[in-house]
Structures are given as structure tokens and as C-alpha cells.
Amino acid sequence: MLREDERLDYLLAEDMKIIQSPSVFAFSLDAVLLANFVYVPIQKGNLVDLCTGNGVIPLLLSKRTKGKMIGVEIQEKIYDMAKRSVQYNKLEEQIEIIHGDIKDMPAHLGYSKFDVVTCNPPYFPTPNEEEMNKNEHFAIARHEIYCTLEDVIRVSSQLLKQGGKAAFVHRPERLLDIVTLMRQYRLEPKRLRFVYPKEGKEANTILIEGTKDGNKGLKILPPLFVYEQNGEYTSELKHILYGE
């Protein structure tokens, strides 16, 4: 199952394991928060996770929905990790992992076919070569090398049925860009939640969900705090992470 420096980690509160590698890819808290935040149909539906990495979001969502899921990952090595994690957890009937560019997915998978699209995209514009992370896998995951924010939002809209939901996790400084692009591509922002490292600090993460061709009306949800002042996870974070 495992190759080179890969390891098999418990997937938090879920009764599953996931293949990770410190030199290639390990999922972040952002992905877990997005999987917890997004609306999903319980009994059936078609879902797609763009920039899926090692497949953490489809794996987590498999506990919340019986719908069929597709994860799309452009890096072959990370795609292979995701595929083996799905096989390890015996979820091949529910989750398919595709090796490909998200920009090709509407033509490949079909327009207006999906009920839910999720994406934890690269957060940062592509820097100059000196600033680029020397680890290619990290650089691609973090910087807009293969897809921009606009690509992510345009493709999400193209894949979604009318009334379908798109949910993203990103950085607060990109909020106005995100809302502008969502409206440009017919994704009306409906739910927004700010995530704070702890009380008294600035938000460092946002979770946002929109409905394709939805009516106007944005709900700002209560803030989510990650840590107590003593450095322990808050009770809400413990519940999200460990089911406590």
C-alpha cells in the first residue's frame, strides 16, 4: 500500500485512514472545516471535489452522504495517494478519483450535472521564481500555478445544476474577489463563516457557500474559533475533529 515516506493516518473522528506524505501532501485543517461546513444531500446526489489532494474531503463527506463523489487532482503522485486511500477504505463504489486538470472537467464530466461542488484551492497568486516553494508539490498546492481563483469558480458554476451548491475555503483577504467572481459566474453567495485562530485575533480563514442562480440574501454565520486562550482546541473544534 505505502510508498517511500508515506504513512497511514487515522482520519480524525471518522473510522477511516488516509495515506499522507510529509514531502508530498498532508491535508490541512481547512479541508476538514470545508467538509464540515458544506451542505450535502443525505441520501443521493452527485458531488465533485476540485483540487482534491489526497482525497480527504470526499472521504470525510462519505460519512455525511450516500451520494456519488468524484475527486479531481492534477498531480499524479497525489492522485495516486487519493486513489489508494479510497481503495483502503473500500469506498470505490461511492468515490471516484480522476487525474486531470479541473479546467477540463466540464467537457469531461458534463455541464450542469452536479448537486454540490467543493474546492480547497491554491490560495496565493503565483510568485516569482525566487519566492516559489522549492518543493514542486507544495508550490502547486499553495500557488495558482495550474488554476486561478477565477478558474475554480467558473468551473464550479459550469459543473453545477441550477440550484446546486458550491462551497469554498479561502483567505479573508480574497473575500471581495471571491464574491465578485461568484456573482459573475451565477453563484449567489448564501452562507459565510469567518474562522479565527482564537478570540481577539483577526480571522485567517473563510468558508463560503453559494447557490447557482440563487436568490440574493447572504447569511453571516457565527464565528468559529479554533483555539481557546490556553492553546487547547475549542469544544466546537473538538467536535468537528474527534466527534467529542
Side-chain angles (χ1 to χ4, degrees), residues 102-103 121-122 144-154:
I102 68 163
K103 298 188 289 294
E144 295 179 340
I145 295 168
Y146 284 127
C147 67
T148 64
L149 180 59
E150 183 167 1
D151 291 331
V152 165
I153 291 172
R154 183 189 67 252

Side-chain angles (χ1 to χ4, degrees), residues 1 59 78 100 103 109 120 126 151 168 201 203 207 218 222 241:
M1 274 296 290
L59 288 170
I78 302 173
K103 298 188 289 294
L109 298 174
N120 176 12
T126 305
D151 291 331
F168 311 108
K201 298 288 187 183
L207 298 158
L218 174 65
L241 291 174

Side-chain angles (χ1 to χ4, degrees), residues 101-119:
D101 189 324
I102 68 163
K103 298 188 289 294
D104 299 332
M105 289 306 112
H108 181 66
L109 298 174
Y111 290 81
S112 306
K113 298 280 190 188
F114 290 87
D115 301 287
V116 179
V117 176
T118 51
C119 187

Side-chain angles (χ1 to χ4, degrees), residues 34-205:
L34 180 59
N36 177 261
F37 169 78
V38 63
Y39 158 85
V40 289
I42 296 170
Q43 292 301 328
K44 58 183 180 179
N46 293 303
L47 300 82
V48 61
D49 181 47
L50 305 174
C51 309
T52 200
N54 61 352
V56 59
I57 289 175
L59 288 170
L60 288 169
L61 289 180
S62 72
K63 295 294 187 179
R64 294 184 54 207
T65 179
K66 294 177 182 173
K68 299 283 188 183
M69 287 179 280
I70 294 172
V72 181
E73 175 52 47
I74 198 165
Q75 296 193 68
E76 188 168 9
K77 197 166 185 178
I78 302 173
Y79 147 82
D80 180 60
M81 289 165 64
K83 195 163 184 179
R84 284 181 286 126
S85 286
V86 169
Q87 291 166 348
Y88 180 87
N89 292 288
K90 299 180 170 56
L91 289 167
E92 301 98 317
E93 293 293 309
Q94 188 182 12
I95 301 172
E96 177 187 1
I97 304 294
I98 291 175
H99 176 226
D101 189 324
I102 68 163
K103 298 188 289 294
D104 299 332
M105 289 306 112
H108 181 66
L109 298 174
Y111 290 81
S112 306
K113 298 280 190 188
F114 290 87
D115 301 287
V116 179
V117 176
T118 51
C119 187
N120 176 12
Y123 291 149
F124 308 109
T126 305
N128 62 44
E129 222 164 296
E130 292 77 47
E131 297 171 318
M132 187 82 75
N133 193 306
K134 296 297 181 269
N135 182 315
E136 178 195 12
H137 301 290
F138 291 164
I140 291 168
R142 292 169 183 169
H143 295 282
E144 295 179 340
I145 295 168
Y146 284 127
C147 67
T148 64
L149 180 59
E150 183 167 1
D151 291 331
V152 165
I153 291 172
R154 183 189 67 252
V155 168
S156 298
S157 179
Q158 290 170 336
L159 290 168
L160 279 176
K161 299 174 181 175
Q162 190 168 16
K165 312 277 188 187
F168 311 108
V169 59
H170 219 291
R171 293 288 174 257
E173 57 264 32
R174 302 297 299 275
L175 176 58
L176 294 183
D177 296 334
I178 292 166
V179 169
T180 300
L181 287 165
M182 286 177 74
R183 283 192 151 173
Q184 181 182 331
Y185 289 103
R186 299 164 51 200
L187 297 176
E188 186 60 30
K190 300 295 286 184
R191 297 167 63 230
L192 173 63
R193 192 171 196 190
F194 291 91
V195 183
Y196 299 80
K198 60 174 66 170
E199 212 167 329
K201 298 288 187 183
E202 291 183 4
N204 62 356
T205 303

